[in-house]
Amino acid sequence: RTVEPLEYYRRFLKENCRPDGRELGEFRTTTVNIGKCSITTADGSALVKLGNTTVICGVKAELAAPAVDSANKGYIVPNVELPSLCAERFRSGPPGEEAQAASQFIADVIENSQMIVKEDLCIANGKLAWVLYCDIICLDYDGNLLDASVFALLAALKNVQLPLVTINEETGLSEVNLKQKNPLIIRKHPVATSFAIFDDTLLIVDPTAEEEDLATGTVTIVTDEEGRLCSVHKPGGSPLTGAKLQDCITRAITRHKEVKKLIDKVIKSLTTK
Amino acid sequence: PGDTSVLAGLYGPAEAKVSKELPDRAALEVLLRPKVGLPGVLERSREQLLRQTCEAVVLGVLHPRTAISLVLQVLSDAGSLLSCCLNAACMALLDAGLPLTALFCGVTCALQPDGTILLDPTARQEQEARAILTFAIASSERKVLMATTKGSCSVEEMQQCLAAAQRAATTIFQFYRNSVRRRYSK
């Protein structure tokens, strides 16, 4: 297994299964932990485990003046961090290419899916708006970072409660009412599904770190609940035919339904507690 | 295409630093410099897309422990920037004479709010569009090498854009052939 990892994998793939016992189209067990159990100082937080890959997301809301050219829009700033404790190949220091590319990807997903409409974050036109700093930190990297991050972000945002802010007309200062909290308005629920391509033909779902290293390419598809594609991310790698891409999309839509059910179940259990 | 222009410079295969070299293949590095400002997170993700696309076509195993550097400088941006970078990168690889398994070309499709598909949109059209899809199509069997979307679209729309992009790829490959012919027939 350590000397000829590719051959070892090929033998399993011929039998249409993988070394950890999964089928080619099967995901690892997903567990999600939302709310006060994760980060108490954040306004919203969630911890997601996709097999061994552990990702935690904390959302902090702060006030700022909106930009001059978009006076009625707030900001969402996602930041993905891959600290050196999560995998031996990441060193400490400025964010590496993978972390930056992941941050850009998450920002694109939020923008494309219109998950949070920036106009909802505005409190007073041109004067005050919310800024949501979303910090996504990977605690254990075992492949499929993008799926887990998108999931953690979604779960954390659902948990965020924003206090009501009013602007005092006379003084022009803002007053924060911590007692009255409203949940964030989330319009769409995007879910990411990642595939790894082997030898130009085989597609496997939810790759582990080992599988990602051996794969010749990766594809990530983000769908929302109406079956619309929010993002297709295929950074190079082996060429795929249109039909194969279509297979991935169908699988991604099925996965979306499973994940949505899981999130709804967890949220319901939180609110009834 | 149009007013968007990108200058590509390719250096390699050259000796790689010990920390960067890979034992069995060439290490590819892509640097994208925007017209104004320092490279930021957006450039980084674009560099990663370009790098993995090039890694798929360049036969790195023929030049192990070397480094191939591709530097792209954006001269002007009037829409369809990413596909312009892809085309510039491929032509640079061709010009340098590096061994490639296939050629690739970048095509951008914009989905307008009324559903019509527009190829190679200008900056104005990109802003008005509902979704922008960029594909890198390989010359062998027109397979998809790289795909990126901005904005949401339905699955059928994506397939239509993909088919349109594959048709357009033929025109772009013809342009490659003409340019190379002109260069080498002097």
Side-chain angles (χ1 to χ4, degrees), chain A residues 208-228:
Chain A
T208 61
E210 251 185 55
E211 289 166 354
E212 272 186 0
D213 283 335
L214 295 172
T216 45
T218 53
V219 186
T220 306
I221 299 187
V222 183
T223 49
D224 68 7
E225 52 258 7
E226 292 158 20
R228 291 175 70 82

Side-chain angles (χ1 to χ4, degrees), chain A residues 138-205:
Chain A
C138 178
L139 296 173
D140 196 355
Y141 184 78
D142 195 20
N144 208 358
L145 176 68
L146 294 174
D147 282 10
S149 310
V150 170
F151 196 359
L153 182 69
L154 184 61
L157 285 172
K158 279 198 95 86
N159 178 236
V160 167
Q161 303 267 18
L162 289 178
L164 200 63
V165 177
T166 44
I167 300 215
N168 197 326
E169 291 297 332
E170 297 136 7
T171 57
L173 289 173
S174 54
E175 288 171 5
V176 180
N177 190 344
L178 282 169
K179 301 245 178 53
Q180 225 182 331
K181 289 197 173 191
N182 306 318
L184 261 187
I185 312 171
I186 300 186
R187 306 215 170 185
K188 299 277 169 70
H189 301 84
V191 171
T193 318
S194 294
F195 304 84
I197 315 172
F198 271 96
D199 289 343
D200 299 352
T201 41
L202 239 41
L203 278 167
I204 57 173
V205 130

Side-chain angles (χ1 to χ4, degrees), chain B residues 42-62:
Chain B
L42 185 62
E43 276 70 37
R44 282 280 191 206
S45 75
R46 292 227 167 113
E47 284 171 12
Q48 197 196 44
L49 288 176
L50 284 162
R51 184 168 56 84
Q52 294 193 297
T53 315
C54 295
E55 271 178 6
V57 290
V58 170
L59 285 163
V61 288
L62 287 176

Side-chain angles (χ1 to χ4, degrees), chain B:
Chain B
D3 297 323
T4 313
S5 46
V6 171
L7 189 64
L10 196 114
Y11 307 96
E15 183 153 332
K17 281 193 257 203
V18 181
S19 59
K20 283 207 183 147
E21 66 180 8
L22 296 166
D24 60 339
R25 47 185 305 138
L28 206 90
E29 193 186 350
V30 177
L31 288 164
L32 179 63
R33 300 251 173 272
K35 189 173 74 151
V36 188
L38 291 165
V41 182
L42 185 62
E43 276 70 37
R44 282 280 191 206
S45 75
R46 292 227 167 113
E47 284 171 12
Q48 197 196 44
L49 288 176
L50 284 162
R51 184 168 56 84
Q52 294 193 297
T53 315
C54 295
E55 271 178 6
V57 290
V58 170
L59 285 163
V61 288
L62 287 176
H63 301 283
R65 293 176 53 239
T66 58
I68 302 178
S69 308
L70 179 65
V71 181
L72 293 154
Q73 171 68 53
V74 178
L75 297 170
S76 66
D77 182 5
S80 307
L81 182 63
L82 188 53
S83 50
C84 193
C85 292
L86 281 167
N87 291 331
C90 187
M91 301 208 80
L93 287 168
L94 263 181
D95 199 33
L98 281 172
L100 303 173
T101 56
L103 293 179
F104 60 89
C105 70
V107 184
T108 309
C109 300
L111 254 183
Q112 291 191 307
D114 58 359
T116 45
I117 300 177
L118 208 64
L119 287 179
D120 277 341
T122 61
R124 266 291 302 285
Q125 289 165 336
E126 274 188 355
Q127 268 188 329
E128 291 168 5
R130 196 160 25 111
I132 304 173
L133 298 98
T134 309
F135 299 104
I137 314 270
S139 59
S140 52
E141 297 167 15
R142 303 283 179 271
K143 288 203 192 159
V144 179
L145 211 53
M146 192 275 293
T148 299
T149 56
K150 198 172 157 72
S152 68
C153 63
S154 73
V155 184
E156 298 80 37
E157 285 164 350
M158 196 213 81
Q159 293 291 359
Q160 282 170 351
C161 288
L162 184 53
Q166 284 171 326
R167 282 195 296 268
T170 329
T171 330
I172 302 188
F173 287 130
Q174 193 57 41
F175 171 73
Y176 280 5
R177 287 211 179 83
N178 292 344
S179 321
V180 175
R181 197 172 295 145
R182 253 181 299 150
R183 173 125 161 64
Y184 288 108
S185 63
K186 265 187 290 190

